Amino acid sequence: MDKNWAYLLSRLAIGLSFFGHGLVRLPKLAGFSNWMLGQFSKSILPDALVIPFSYILPFAEFIAGILIILGLFTRFGLLLAGLVSLALIFGTTLIENWDALPSQLIHVSFLSILLAYLPHNTYAVDKIIKK
């Protein structure tokens, strides 16, 4: 029983992180995109890749966060968050923002653990749907 509560607590924590990242960026998409362009201006990535990613990222974070918080399509939400995290890690290394890397690696660690212990996802919409 405690493992199920621990899973819920961890799922909510990582879900809130992704949800919050997306939520604060959605109302200021253009500003966020311009900020990202500035961050990657000296990287090898062309603007043609940075611009679409900068507009997609907040939606992906927001959606992954909601799915993880609710425990709805939890595996998909965790995998989506993992793909987002891997893309962010790649970008972080390209611009040599080493200070951001530990936080991103911690996110991936949480997501990996949650995927590995998915059978403990008892307090979730997924369980209600399966009944």
Side-chain angles (χ1 to χ4, degrees):
M1 184 93 165
D2 286 343
K3 288 180 183 177
N4 297 340
W5 284 108
Y7 189 93
L8 175 64
L9 183 61
S10 296
R11 194 189 80 220
L12 291 175
I14 198 73
L16 285 169
S17 179
F18 278 89
F19 176 78
H21 274 88
L23 183 66
V24 299
R25 292 172 175 164
L26 285 173
K28 53 182 180 182
L29 275 174
F32 176 70
S33 179
N34 288 330
W35 174 81
M36 276 196 74
L37 273 174
Q39 293 292 304
F40 284 89
S41 63
K42 294 180 182 172
S43 77
I44 61 170
L45 287 180
D47 290 354
L49 289 178
V50 176
I51 292 171
F53 182 79
S54 69
Y55 279 96
I56 293 168
L57 176 62
F59 288 99
E61 291 172 323
F62 184 78
I63 291 166
I66 288 175
L67 293 176
I68 294 167
I69 289 167
L70 295 175
L72 175 63
F73 309 118
T74 309
R75 176 176 277 119
F76 174 78
L78 293 169
L79 290 171
L80 175 60
L83 289 173
V84 166
S85 296
L86 293 174
L88 291 172
I89 288 169
F90 179 66
T92 295
T93 60
L94 289 180
I95 61 172
E96 299 181 76
N97 183 3
W98 309 121
D99 291 337
L101 195 55
S103 173
Q104 294 166 341
L105 292 171
I106 289 169
H107 278 80
V108 171
S109 298
F110 260 88
L111 294 166
S112 298
I113 291 166
L114 289 170
L115 276 168
Y117 289 92
L118 199 55
H120 293 288
N121 190 30
T122 303
Y123 306 115
V125 174
D126 286 341
K127 289 294 180 182
I128 296 169
I129 293 172
K130 285 185 179 180
K131 288 185 178 182

